[in-house]
Amino acid sequence: MDKKLADDGPTTVTPWSVLLKKENGVTGRETLISSGEITTLEAIKKSGLCYDPRMRFHATLNEVDDHPEDPRRVLRVFDAIRKAGYVSNTPNPTDAFLRLPSREATLEELLRVHTPEMYEKITKTELMSREDLTNLEKISDSLYFNNESAFCARLACGSAIETCAAVVTGKVKNAFAVVRPPGHHAEPHKPGGFCLFNNVSVAARSMLQRFPEKVKRILILDWDVHHGNGTQMAFYDDPNVLYISLHRYEQGRFYPGTVYGRAENCGEGAGLGRTVNIPWPCSGMGDGDYIYAFQRVVMPIAYEFNPDLVIISSGFDAAAGDHIGQCLVTPPAYAHMTQMLMGLADGKVFASLEGGYSLDAISVSALAVAQSLIGVPPSRLHTVYASKHAVETVDMVTEIQSKFWRCMRPKFIPANPENAHVSRLHDIIRSYQAKKLFEDWKITNLPILRDSLSETFANQALCSHDFFQKDVLIILIHEAPLILGDGRKDSNALKPSDSYLVDPVSLYIEWAMQQNFGLIDINIPEVVTGENKPYDMVEETKKLCTYIWDNYIELASAKNIFFIASGKAVEGVINLIASRNVMKNVRCVVNFFGSESLTGLKTASEDDLPGWYFRHSLIFVKSTDECWKKPKKNKRRYGRLIQSEHDSGTSMLEHHYRAVTQYVSHLLKKNDAS
Ligand SMILES: [Zn+2]
């Protein structure tokens, strides 16, 4: 678009004010746009690009060494943009990108982020012997040095500063610095992770100091697949710099290998709430996940923060094809994310290259970012669904960040059940249910007498008073019922008159009682009131199921046992089947997986248990589950699968009630006949 405007020459471009006058039929000299008018100059302003081939001088001592932070990275990125026709080797007025000059960062600039000792440490390498450099490399955290490293690091950092300044001063509308070595792992006092000086951090600090009137607040968005520990540290207590990072975390196992990038780390002091970590729990995160995080967390918070400048720490190691990042982000997703960020800060966006180790992947990804910067509409995305991991991570981040951002409400509930006047609704409901079930059907508490279990599950296991003598025994295992209500967004308050308890389990209880079956009803709480020790819902459910089997079910008279389980509780039943001899008396296992992903029996393949499970089960799985896309191997260990249009345990219980109860009746009739 800009390229065309430039080709035509500025004289042919009609000012917006003239166009507006024509459209409105106004011919007079009145002012239609009094302030902030877009001038012709603004309309044709270019994007900026900085690239200096000398940044390739920083290399491993032994040039045949294969290192992922390969000097060719910057060349390949520049070449991709050049071959697309947006920039030339020598400045060309028809290019979409204006080439911006490179320069070394000064000592004064570097000391805005780094300590003098760290500056010394890196500068010293210019005069070190080969042997000393090799030794230094050995004791450093993922770094290599030659005598050009310090120069390249200063050049990368200075170029980032100058390119960023060109955006702030309006010389260009936005810009991309194709620089190396990268910077976001470099902490104020130490380099690391292929990074020497923290280019983006020094640029951000420099803008705040050089242009205090223009730049009061900066958003640094870091989509490199690694956590930018250096950048987070540089601004951890700074209220004027919002650092948002999307990165593989995996409980701190992924590089940089600490828990510094966890979601709970939100800044400190005046900077509390100015760090937003979106920590992915695994590899394989893709377009749907990143776009989801952008739409749910990044952009709402960014709009609320309302920055004067956006800096992208633009690593491309989350790109599809990067063997270190092992994620699946495609070029169109990078283009969409760039375009979303361009809606902020009057479009003042500056992207600085960080990691990214597949030469092909960084080329196509960087080209996509460059295209968005010059105004090419992003290509359509193919994957638009977020994975379960992304939804869970984003939910967690939303809840944590809701303490600091209005747009993240209403997730954080400022109520403490340890206060005498505050009760968890879950406990009130379970007490009410226990009372009502006793009144209606004489259903009573099932004593759980093992120490750790008894505390956790008091009031959660109920039974019909005569279940011991019944021939048919129904065992319901489920999570707490749903409470539906339209909460007030500003206060989280639910109106009791407009809130409803949705408990399809009561349908099954009524049915079992009317049929004169024995019944055990187990509610699995998600949290336990008054418990201070960690509570693992799935593990406790497994223990509870085996406890009830050993102490009650196996000793009861029932020869026709049916399990009906939903949500996370299905894990308890599956574990029970694998660990106890259930084949004799259990007629059928009905599992509603709800929002959980399908899991199967873990048994030796020669076992006949998978075959039994397949013949004696109805396993309802949501239609969006991965299992419907690719057929599972050893299918029988997953049971007899039935596709459900519903995606929560509660709605599956409700909507498949008739099918399940009819199937149980059918099995019992068949049993009678034989
Ligand atoms: Zn990285």
Side-chain angles (χ1 to χ4, degrees), residues 234-261:
F235 300 106
Y236 206 52
D237 58 357
D238 189 333
N240 302 316
V241 177
L242 169 62
Y243 176 67
I244 305 182
S245 174
L246 304 103
H247 51 270
R248 270 179 72 185
Y249 175 64
E250 292 156 47
Q251 302 301 316
R253 288 189 301 274
F254 197 65
Y255 190 87
T258 68
V259 295
Y260 197 48

Short mmCIF file of all heavy atoms in Angstrom, two decimals, residues 234-261:
data_model
loop_
_atom_site.label_atom_id
_atom_site.label_comp_id
_atom_site.label_asym_id
_atom_site.label_seq_id
_atom_site.Cartn_x
_atom_site.Cartn_y
_atom_site.Cartn_z
N ALA A 234 14.55 -6.51 34.63
CA ALA A 234 14.88 -5.09 34.45
C ALA A 234 13.72 -4.17 34.85
O ALA A 234 13.93 -3.06 35.31
CB ALA A 234 15.28 -4.84 33.00
N PHE A 235 12.49 -4.65 34.67
CA PHE A 235 11.33 -3.77 34.92
C PHE A 235 10.40 -4.29 36.00
O PHE A 235 9.24 -3.89 36.07
CB PHE A 235 10.55 -3.58 33.60
CG PHE A 235 11.39 -2.96 32.52
CD1 PHE A 235 11.86 -3.72 31.46
CD2 PHE A 235 11.74 -1.62 32.58
CE1 PHE A 235 12.66 -3.16 30.48
CE2 PHE A 235 12.54 -1.04 31.60
CZ PHE A 235 13.00 -1.82 30.55
N TYR A 236 10.89 -5.23 36.83
CA TYR A 236 10.00 -5.92 37.76
C TYR A 236 9.30 -4.96 38.73
O TYR A 236 8.18 -5.20 39.14
CB TYR A 236 10.79 -6.98 38.53
CG TYR A 236 9.92 -8.13 39.01
CD1 TYR A 236 9.10 -8.81 38.12
CD2 TYR A 236 9.92 -8.53 40.34
CE1 TYR A 236 8.29 -9.85 38.55
CE2 TYR A 236 9.12 -9.58 40.78
CZ TYR A 236 8.31 -10.23 39.87
OH TYR A 236 7.51 -11.26 40.29
N ASP A 237 9.98 -3.85 39.08
CA ASP A 237 9.34 -2.92 40.02
C ASP A 237 9.00 -1.59 39.34
O ASP A 237 8.81 -0.58 39.99
CB ASP A 237 10.25 -2.68 41.24
CG ASP A 237 11.61 -2.13 40.83
OD1 ASP A 237 11.85 -1.99 39.60
OD2 ASP A 237 12.43 -1.85 41.72
N ASP A 238 8.91 -1.62 38.00
CA ASP A 238 8.67 -0.38 37.25
C ASP A 238 7.20 -0.31 36.82
O ASP A 238 6.74 -1.13 36.03
CB ASP A 238 9.59 -0.36 36.02
CG ASP A 238 9.56 0.99 35.32
OD1 ASP A 238 8.53 1.70 35.43
OD2 ASP A 238 10.56 1.33 34.67
N PRO A 239 6.45 0.67 37.32
CA PRO A 239 5.03 0.75 36.97
C PRO A 239 4.79 1.22 35.53
O PRO A 239 3.68 1.12 35.02
CB PRO A 239 4.47 1.78 37.96
CG PRO A 239 5.64 2.64 38.32
CD PRO A 239 6.86 1.75 38.25
N ASN A 240 5.84 1.74 34.88
CA ASN A 240 5.65 2.35 33.55
C ASN A 240 5.95 1.41 32.40
O ASN A 240 5.78 1.77 31.24
CB ASN A 240 6.51 3.61 33.43
CG ASN A 240 6.15 4.60 34.51
OD1 ASN A 240 4.97 4.82 34.78
ND2 ASN A 240 7.16 5.14 35.19
N VAL A 241 6.46 0.21 32.74
CA VAL A 241 6.73 -0.75 31.67
C VAL A 241 5.96 -2.03 31.98
O VAL A 241 6.18 -2.67 33.01
CB VAL A 241 8.25 -1.05 31.56
CG1 VAL A 241 8.50 -2.11 30.50
CG2 VAL A 241 9.00 0.23 31.21
N LEU A 242 5.04 -2.37 31.10
CA LEU A 242 4.25 -3.59 31.25
C LEU A 242 4.94 -4.68 30.44
O LEU A 242 5.12 -4.54 29.23
CB LEU A 242 2.83 -3.35 30.73
CG LEU A 242 1.93 -4.59 30.56
CD1 LEU A 242 1.69 -5.29 31.88
CD2 LEU A 242 0.59 -4.18 29.93
N TYR A 243 5.35 -5.74 31.11
CA TYR A 243 6.02 -6.84 30.42
C TYR A 243 5.05 -8.02 30.33
O TYR A 243 4.59 -8.54 31.35
CB TYR A 243 7.29 -7.26 31.17
CG TYR A 243 7.97 -8.46 30.54
CD1 TYR A 243 8.55 -8.35 29.28
CD2 TYR A 243 8.02 -9.69 31.19
CE1 TYR A 243 9.16 -9.44 28.68
CE2 TYR A 243 8.63 -10.78 30.60
CZ TYR A 243 9.20 -10.65 29.35
OH TYR A 243 9.80 -11.74 28.75
N ILE A 244 4.72 -8.43 29.10
CA ILE A 244 3.85 -9.59 28.90
C ILE A 244 4.63 -10.64 28.11
O ILE A 244 5.17 -10.33 27.04
CB ILE A 244 2.56 -9.24 28.11
CG1 ILE A 244 1.80 -8.10 28.79
CG2 ILE A 244 1.67 -10.47 27.99
CD1 ILE A 244 0.48 -7.72 28.09
N SER A 245 4.70 -11.84 28.64
CA SER A 245 5.46 -12.89 27.96
C SER A 245 4.61 -14.15 27.78
O SER A 245 3.94 -14.59 28.70
CB SER A 245 6.71 -13.24 28.78
OG SER A 245 7.37 -14.35 28.19
N LEU A 246 4.64 -14.70 26.56
CA LEU A 246 4.06 -16.03 26.31
C LEU A 246 5.23 -16.96 26.10
O LEU A 246 6.07 -16.71 25.23
CB LEU A 246 3.18 -16.02 25.06
CG LEU A 246 2.05 -15.01 25.00
CD1 LEU A 246 2.43 -13.84 24.11
CD2 LEU A 246 0.77 -15.65 24.48
N HIS A 247 5.31 -18.01 26.90
CA HIS A 247 6.50 -18.87 26.80
C HIS A 247 6.22 -20.28 27.28
O HIS A 247 5.33 -20.51 28.10
CB HIS A 247 7.65 -18.28 27.62
CG HIS A 247 7.25 -17.96 29.04
ND1 HIS A 247 6.74 -16.74 29.40
CD2 HIS A 247 7.25 -18.71 30.17
CE1 HIS A 247 6.45 -16.74 30.69
NE2 HIS A 247 6.75 -17.93 31.19
N ARG A 248 7.03 -21.22 26.79
CA ARG A 248 6.97 -22.57 27.35
C ARG A 248 7.59 -22.51 28.74
O ARG A 248 8.64 -21.92 28.93
CB ARG A 248 7.77 -23.55 26.47
CG ARG A 248 6.94 -24.20 25.39
CD ARG A 248 7.79 -25.13 24.55
NE ARG A 248 8.15 -26.34 25.27
CZ ARG A 248 8.96 -27.27 24.77
NH1 ARG A 248 9.48 -27.12 23.56
NH2 ARG A 248 9.25 -28.35 25.48
N TYR A 249 6.92 -23.15 29.68
CA TYR A 249 7.36 -23.05 31.08
C TYR A 249 7.61 -24.44 31.67
O TYR A 249 8.69 -24.75 32.13
CB TYR A 249 6.29 -22.29 31.87
CG TYR A 249 6.55 -22.21 33.35
CD1 TYR A 249 7.66 -21.54 33.84
CD2 TYR A 249 5.67 -22.81 34.25
CE1 TYR A 249 7.89 -21.47 35.21
CE2 TYR A 249 5.89 -22.75 35.61
CZ TYR A 249 7.00 -22.08 36.09
OH TYR A 249 7.22 -22.02 37.44
N GLU A 250 6.55 -25.25 31.62
CA GLU A 250 6.66 -26.64 32.08
C GLU A 250 7.22 -26.75 33.49
O GLU A 250 8.23 -27.41 33.73
CB GLU A 250 7.49 -27.45 31.06
CG GLU A 250 6.74 -27.58 29.75
CD GLU A 250 7.62 -27.82 28.54
OE1 GLU A 250 8.50 -28.67 28.63
OE2 GLU A 250 7.42 -27.15 27.52
N GLN A 251 6.57 -26.06 34.39
CA GLN A 251 6.96 -26.08 35.82
C GLN A 251 8.41 -25.65 36.02
O GLN A 251 9.08 -26.10 36.94
CB GLN A 251 6.75 -27.48 36.43
CG GLN A 251 5.33 -28.00 36.33
CD GLN A 251 4.34 -27.07 37.01
OE1 GLN A 251 4.58 -26.59 38.10
NE2 GLN A 251 3.23 -26.78 36.36
N GLY A 252 8.90 -24.78 35.15
CA GLY A 252 10.26 -24.27 35.31
C GLY A 252 11.33 -25.16 34.70
O GLY A 252 12.52 -24.89 34.83
N ARG A 253 10.91 -26.23 34.00
CA ARG A 253 11.91 -27.14 33.42
C ARG A 253 12.46 -26.61 32.10
O ARG A 253 13.57 -26.92 31.72
CB ARG A 253 11.30 -28.54 33.21
CG ARG A 253 11.08 -29.32 34.50
CD ARG A 253 10.69 -30.76 34.19
NE ARG A 253 9.48 -30.82 33.39
CZ ARG A 253 8.25 -30.81 33.89
NH1 ARG A 253 8.08 -30.75 35.18
NH2 ARG A 253 7.20 -30.88 33.10
N PHE A 254 11.66 -25.82 31.38
CA PHE A 254 12.12 -25.33 30.08
C PHE A 254 13.06 -24.13 30.31
O PHE A 254 12.91 -23.40 31.28
CB PHE A 254 10.90 -24.92 29.23
CG PHE A 254 11.19 -24.79 27.77
CD1 PHE A 254 11.55 -25.90 27.03
CD2 PHE A 254 11.11 -23.55 27.14
CE1 PHE A 254 11.83 -25.79 25.67
CE2 PHE A 254 11.39 -23.43 25.79
CZ PHE A 254 11.75 -24.55 25.05
N TYR A 255 14.03 -23.92 29.39
CA TYR A 255 14.99 -22.84 29.56
C TYR A 255 14.27 -21.51 29.81
O TYR A 255 13.27 -21.26 29.16
CB TYR A 255 15.90 -22.71 28.32
CG TYR A 255 17.05 -21.77 28.59
CD1 TYR A 255 18.23 -22.24 29.15
CD2 TYR A 255 16.91 -20.41 28.35
CE1 TYR A 255 19.27 -21.36 29.46
CE2 TYR A 255 17.94 -19.53 28.66
CZ TYR A 255 19.11 -20.01 29.21
OH TYR A 255 20.11 -19.14 29.53
N PRO A 256 14.68 -20.64 30.70
CA PRO A 256 15.93 -20.66 31.48
C PRO A 256 15.93 -21.58 32.69
O PRO A 256 16.87 -21.52 33.50
CB PRO A 256 16.10 -19.20 31.90
CG PRO A 256 14.78 -18.56 31.77
CD PRO A 256 13.98 -19.35 30.80
N GLY A 257 14.92 -22.44 32.84
CA GLY A 257 15.00 -23.48 33.86
C GLY A 257 14.78 -23.03 35.29
O GLY A 257 15.26 -23.66 36.22
N THR A 258 14.06 -21.92 35.47
CA THR A 258 13.73 -21.48 36.83
C THR A 258 12.22 -21.24 36.88
O THR A 258 11.54 -21.29 35.87
CB THR A 258 14.43 -20.15 37.18
OG1 THR A 258 13.84 -19.11 36.37
CG2 THR A 258 15.91 -20.21 36.93
N VAL A 259 11.72 -20.93 38.08
CA VAL A 259 10.28 -20.65 38.20
C VAL A 259 10.00 -19.15 38.05
O VAL A 259 8.90 -18.69 38.30
CB VAL A 259 9.71 -21.15 39.56
CG1 VAL A 259 9.80 -22.66 39.65
CG2 VAL A 259 10.41 -20.49 40.74
N TYR A 260 11.00 -18.41 37.57
CA TYR A 260 10.86 -16.95 37.46
C TYR A 260 9.73 -16.57 36.49
O TYR A 260 9.09 -15.54 36.65
CB TYR A 260 12.19 -16.36 37.01
CG TYR A 260 12.33 -14.88 37.23
CD1 TYR A 260 12.01 -14.31 38.45
CD2 TYR A 260 12.79 -14.05 36.20
CE1 TYR A 260 12.14 -12.94 38.65
CE2 TYR A 260 12.93 -12.69 36.40
CZ TYR A 260 12.59 -12.14 37.62
OH TYR A 260 12.71 -10.79 37.81
N GLY A 261 9.47 -17.44 35.50
CA GLY A 261 8.45 -17.11 34.49
C GLY A 261 7.07 -17.63 34.82
O GLY A 261 6.20 -17.69 33.96
#
